[in-house]
Amino acid sequence: MLRTALRNVLAHPARLAMTVLAVCLGVAFVSGTLVFADSSAAAHRAASSKNFAGIAVTVTPKSSLSATAADLRDTALDDALVQKLAGVPGVGAVRPAADGTATLAAADGSPLRTGTSRANLAAAYVPGTDGTDHRHPLVKGRAPARDDEIAVDTGTAAAGRFRIGDTVTLATTGPVMTKRLVGIVTTDDPRVSAGGTLTLFPMGTAQRLFATPGHYTSIDLSAAPGTAPAELTDRVTAVLPADRAEAVSGTAQAAQQAVLVDTLTRGYTKLPLVFAGVALFVGSFLVVNTFTMLVTRRTRDIALLRAIGASRGQVVRSVLAEAALVGLVASAAGFLLGLGVASALPHVLSTVEETLPDGPLVIGARSVVAALAVGVGVTVLAAWLPSRRAARIAPVEAMRSAGQAPSPARSRVRGAVGSALLALGAGLLVSLTGAKDASVGNLQNAMAGCALLAVAMIVLAPLLAGPVIRLTGRLTTRFGTVGHLARENALRDPRRTAATASSLMISTALVAGLAVVGHSTGQALDRQAAAGLRADYVIGTRDTTTGIDSAAVQRVAGTAGVRTAAAVADSTLVVGGKVRTVTGVDPATVGAVMKLDFVGGSVKGLGPGRIAVSESVAREHGLRAGGRLMARMGRSQEFRSYSVVGVYRDNPVAHDVLGAPADVQKNSFVPGSVQRILVRTEGGAVSKAMEGRLRAAVGNSPLLTVDDRARLVHEAAGAVGDLLTLMYGLLALAVVIASLGIVNTLAMSVSERTREIGVLRAIGMDRAGVRRMIRLESLTVAAFGTLLGLAGGVFCAWAVGALANGAVAQYAFTLPWGTLLLICAVSLAIGTVAAVVPARRAAALSPLEAVAEA
């Protein structure tokens, strides 16, 4: 039986080619993603190890939650400690450091970014005995020596188009500074290679910016020959002030940094795996269809084997062995293609501004085993049903007929099972429409409901094929006899038609559902971005640790064309174990820049110890105007009782709680500062000139943003649009596999109907008519899958949208008619294009040879 399986594979390589290709594409994504993940992790570890090469121990200051900004700058790491550490036995060299963050400005004043990483690192250039800093080797220019000089890394210089001698605008946590670029360096820091920037200052300048004169943020120690890092760590720990400093080995730091950077980029390895699963799921329909048609075509062969003594189990094992051989070939090809996918993924990710460290491909046992297990496993599982169907055929019955229609009893069982699954899945989804809560449990229920609905549609598809195709077939019958023949060919075997259309149905449902949810969410974010806002401009901070000083607020208020400039301070409020956002506003000006709708009380009562809460907070804690609330604000360690002076409808600009500016600023993480300035212009004027004046008022700081309402709306919807674009691109793989399924089914169907086509040619049908018949048959199957996919996708999007309403208050279910029509057109076009090769093959058959074929 194994030799029979091998002979069958070798006898029909063309018929199995599409199956191999479909499984190959899915395996390629699985193995390629795993190889990419292993290679990326290894590159991160190598980069981190290289970055900390030669560092045995690093001494860092200890801090507590109650530490003030002054405490963090005035560390115990001073010159005296440097001298003390230099005398510790086993210390080879001491390298003090003063590190922090610095954001450079691009040509348009926006923050310079070389990638999606927001690591804007800054450090001191620390020359060794040879006058160079081994951690930052110079490639051009010289080291910064004066207070007005800096150096940057090669990636930053390229992104900002900086040249030696250029004046660079930057900011740390204070006012904007201008420095002259005197050097360009390289670095092995993976945080920089992952898309961050690096700015180097002279040591004295770095100490003033990030510590205090004579103090450091860390001290790196190298070990003398013969001294183990662990031993040196213990010796250093013994001489440190235990309450203000600690020692960490360089090995531990490299491991921690590698884990951090790997965590930031790990999400990009998960999404391809999800769509690899979708591709394999869709491809399984092609496998089922192919082996079903092969088994049907070899019914007489199987009957002969049964007649000479082969058991049902041997027939099943023969078909499964054939599937295993196909899966093995597909896995091997998919793994080789996966290596190309792994090599291409870093370049694909770089298009979304994510730079990964370079390194060789790491091919681990996990990737090889996964490729074989997935490819062979999916193919064998998909071929199990056809093998069972082949084993059930009685020898005499098989000799009599090459095709067996499903019995009425089996059709009734299929209908009962499919209807039950449909009721269960639809009922579960409908039950979620009143939840309006995007909790983990509800999301899991939504996924289960969608999965049950998909399985139900697959089970019921053969029963739905007849009524739906008869309905849609009215369009094909307008083409005359070839249209009637195309419809009847599609109805000849409903199970085959359903299996062929199911792959297109699943991919269409996914794309349609994403389109509906994405369109509805995008419109909701558009509305939410502008909801509650009267201001024409919002000036904000890019970093939560940075504030806007009061002088900048006064300059904005005095800018020509500004009617109202309201300073807004943001902090946190711990209420009942949950962290809420509290917004400090001036009752006198807040009405001019925010749309506040109070259902009880008013904003006028705000003051020290008095707050207003949103409806959601009031509902959760049973509050109303005149009530009291125990809460802890910002950096304060004590809970206090606040008087509730009003309750307002949920507002994305006002956040959860409104408080007095003095209370919020005093307890914010940047005491005395504000985080936003809401600007109302004269006559609602919005222009480039107005934006330029506002940027100038805040010192053109790259730490601050100046956005009008239109830009806020665009940015709110931009992330959703980018994600949907990526998902559509990956789902295109499922669509390609669906088209392969149609091509394969039609090609094998043409082979089965060789004599029939020959008879049609003999009685007068020309080649154009044969081609038209095959294309109309393909179009009929595609229309069937498209209609079911659209119905299922839109229904699931409607049900899941109720949960989105819990996360996005402005969410409302809306249909993107243009996108849905485009999906229909693309799906039908796929059906038409998929029929090109089978139609040409059918038209090329010689009438006499076709009729004579046994």
Side-chain angles (χ1 to χ4, degrees):
M1 297 303 291
L2 289 176
R3 286 196 297 270
T4 300
L6 180 59
R7 179 183 61 82
N8 288 330
V9 171
L10 296 177
H12 307 289
R15 296 175 185 175
L16 295 170
M18 295 296 181
T19 301
V20 171
L21 181 57
V23 178
C24 172
L25 290 174
V27 171
F29 260 75
V30 172
S31 59
T33 303
L34 293 177
V35 170
F36 165 71
D38 292 341
S39 303
S40 178
H44 287 146
R45 288 193 296 269
S48 297
S49 299
K50 190 174 181 181
N51 186 44
F52 286 96
I55 299 176
V57 181
T58 296
V59 178
T60 58
K62 278 187 176 180
S63 61
S64 63
L65 293 176
S66 60
T68 65
D71 294 333
L72 296 175
R73 291 172 62 89
D74 191 16
T75 68
L77 279 58
D78 53 14
D79 291 325
L81 182 60
V82 170
Q83 296 298 324
K84 187 175 182 179
L85 292 173
V88 173
V91 171
V94 180
R95 183 186 184 277
D99 301 334
T101 60
T103 304
L104 286 75
D108 60 354
S110 63
L112 179 67
R113 292 173 62 190
T114 63
T116 57
S117 173
R118 296 185 181 274
N120 299 311
L121 306 180
Y125 186 89
V126 185
T129 55
D130 59 353
T132 62
D133 187 343
H134 69 277
R135 295 195 65 179
H136 306 117
L138 281 163
V139 295
K140 188 179 294 185
R142 60 176 177 82
R146 297 171 49 184
D147 185 62
D148 63 342
E149 296 176 346
I150 60 168
V152 299
D153 70 287
T154 52
T156 301
R161 297 182 180 179
F162 298 142
R163 297 181 178 180
I164 300 297
D166 285 352
T167 298
V168 180
T169 302
L170 61 113
T172 53
T173 57
V176 174
M177 300 176 287
T178 57
K179 305 286 185 180
R180 189 164 63 91
L181 182 65
V182 298
I184 298 177
V185 304
T186 60
T187 179
D188 295 319
D189 194 326
R191 294 172 296 175
V192 178
S193 61
T197 63
L198 173 65
T199 308
L200 298 177
F201 300 90
M203 176 58 80
T205 305
Q207 286 179 315
R208 288 192 297 273
L209 291 173
F210 310 124
T212 54
H215 292 76
Y216 307 97
T217 58
S218 64
I219 303 174
D220 296 329
L221 307 175
S222 62
T227 304
E231 181 183 359
L232 184 60
T233 302
D234 293 337
R235 294 177 184 174
V236 170
T237 301
V239 302
L240 295 177
D243 58 336
R244 299 196 62 193
E246 60 184 343
V248 182
S249 69
T251 304
Q253 287 187 91
Q256 292 172 2
Q257 195 173 95
V259 170
L260 173 63
V261 179
D262 185 57
T263 301
L264 295 175
T265 56
R266 189 178 300 162
Y268 292 108
T269 65
K270 294 180 180 179
L271 196 59
L273 279 179
V274 172
F275 287 94
V278 173
L280 288 168
F281 180 66
V282 173
S284 65
F285 292 102
L286 195 160
V287 178
V288 170
N289 227 18
T290 300
F291 277 91
T292 298
M293 297 179 74
L294 287 174
V295 166
T296 302
R297 189 166 177 80
R298 296 203 304 264
T299 300
R300 293 182 184 274
D301 297 339
I302 295 172
L304 180 60
L305 291 173
R306 293 293 311 281
I308 63 177
S311 65
R312 289 188 174 185
Q314 286 179 309
V315 172
V316 170
R317 288 192 292 274
S318 175
V319 176
L320 293 183
E322 186 177 343
L325 291 173
V326 172
L328 189 62
V329 173
S331 298
F335 183 77
L336 294 177
L337 183 60
L339 297 181
V341 171
S343 301
L345 275 176
H347 301 289
V348 172
L349 297 180
S350 68
T351 62
V352 290
E353 296 183 330
E354 181 65 38
T355 306
L356 299 174
D358 295 327
L361 291 180
V362 176
I363 303 175
R366 179 182 68 158
S367 305
V368 178
V369 171
L372 292 174
V374 168
V376 176
V378 168
T379 310
V380 170
L381 286 175
W384 181 75
L385 284 176
S387 70
R388 296 278 295 177
R389 189 174 299 144
R392 285 197 302 265
I393 300 174
V396 175
E397 186 180 8
M399 290 292 187
R400 186 184 309 120
S401 174
Q404 303 295 325
S407 66
R410 290 187 180 279
S411 296
R412 286 193 295 271
V413 171
R414 176 185 289 272
V417 173
S419 298
L421 291 173
L422 182 66
L424 184 60
L428 186 57
L429 290 174
V430 170
S431 68
L432 295 172
T433 57
K436 298 185 182 299
D437 178 16
S439 63
V440 174
N442 284 337
L443 289 175
Q444 291 175 344
N445 289 335
M447 294 177 63
C450 290
L452 287 172
L453 194 65
V455 173
M457 293 173 65
I458 293 169
V459 173
L460 292 174
L463 303 180
L464 296 173
V468 174
I469 290 177
R470 287 188 181 92
L471 178 64
T472 59
R474 294 179 180 178
L475 297 176
T476 61
T477 56
R478 295 179 180 272
F479 291 89
T481 303
V482 293
H484 284 281
L485 290 173
R487 185 184 67 176
E488 294 307 314
N489 286 334
L491 290 172
R492 179 180 299 183
D493 189 343
R495 290 180 300 181
R496 179 189 301 174
T497 299
T500 304
S502 291
S503 56
L504 187 60
M505 176 186 70
I506 295 298
S507 55
T508 301
L510 288 170
V511 175
L514 282 175
V516 173
V517 172
H519 177 74
S520 302
T521 303
Q523 289 198 338
L525 290 174
D526 287 354
R527 291 189 292 269
Q528 181 169 297
L533 184 65
R534 295 185 188 276
D536 301 301
Y537 284 94
V538 176
I539 301 174
T541 59
R542 297 183 183 273
D543 189 350
T544 56
T545 63
T546 303
I548 306 174
D549 57 46
S550 57
V553 177
Q554 296 300 321
R555 290 196 299 271
V556 170
T559 301
V562 172
R563 177 181 173 185
T564 305
V568 178
D570 293 324
S571 187
T572 57
L573 194 74
V574 179
V575 184
K578 290 187 177 180
V579 179
R580 303 285 189 173
T581 301
V582 58
T583 302
V585 295
D586 183 353
T589 59
V590 67
V593 294
M594 289 187 191
K595 298 175 184 177
L596 295 174
D597 184 8
F598 276 81
V599 296
S602 71
V603 73
K604 296 180 180 179
L606 284 181
R610 298 193 297 272
I611 60 174
V613 299
S614 64
E615 267 191 316
S616 59
V617 174
R619 190 183 309 114
E620 182 175 345
H621 296 281
L623 298 172
R624 59 182 179 180
R628 301 196 70 83
L629 178 68
M630 290 295 296
R632 177 172 62 83
M633 187 178 295
R635 296 176 66 251
S636 173
Q637 301 298 310
E638 297 180 358
F639 281 83
R640 60 175 293 188
S641 177
Y642 289 91
S643 174
V644 179
V645 299
V647 177
Y648 56 90
R649 298 191 188 279
D650 289 2
N651 187 309
V653 180
H655 297 310
D656 303 313
V657 181
L658 290 176
D663 279 351
V664 178
Q665 288 180 331
K666 180 177 66 175
N667 294 295
S668 71
F669 292 95
V670 187
S673 67
V674 299
Q675 281 64 51
R676 289 178 288 165
I677 306 175
L678 305 184
V679 180
R680 187 83 177 269
T681 60
E682 296 288 350
V686 175
S687 64
K688 286 289 185 182
M690 186 74 237
E691 180 180 337
R693 290 197 293 271
L694 292 175
R695 286 190 180 278
V698 294
N700 289 313
S701 174
L703 299 177
L704 303 180
T705 60
V706 180
D707 297 320
D708 57 26
R709 291 162 61 92
R711 187 176 296 140
L712 290 173
V713 169
H714 176 74
E715 290 182 354
V720 174
D722 293 342
L723 179 61
L724 286 176
T725 300
L726 179 60
M727 295 179 79
Y728 287 148
L730 291 173
L731 279 175
L733 179 65
V735 176
V736 169
I737 294 176
S739 64
L740 291 177
I742 297 176
V743 173
N744 200 42
T745 301
L746 287 175
M748 298 183 73
S749 179
V750 166
S751 179
E752 286 182 351
R753 302 202 308 261
T754 299
R755 294 187 65 187
E756 177 186 318
I757 294 171
V759 171
L760 291 173
R761 291 293 313 281
I763 63 176
M765 181 178 287
D766 58 10
R767 291 185 175 183
V770 173
R771 287 195 296 267
R772 190 179 303 115
M773 179 183 68
I774 300 298
R775 285 198 294 264
L776 289 175
E777 180 182 349
S778 176
L779 191 63
T780 301
V781 174
F784 173 59
T786 300
L787 287 177
L788 289 186
L790 281 176
V794 171
F795 178 78
C796 289
W798 168 74
V800 174
L803 303 183
N805 195 18
V808 183
Q810 305 290 331
Y811 185 91
F813 177 77
T814 55
L815 291 176
W817 292 107
T819 304
L820 294 180
L821 290 175
L822 178 62
I823 292 172
C824 288
V826 170
S827 297
L828 295 178
I830 288 171
T832 304
V833 173
V836 171
V837 174
R840 292 187 63 181
R841 180 182 176 187
L845 291 174
S846 170
L848 293 179
E849 293 179 0
V851 172
E853 183 173 300

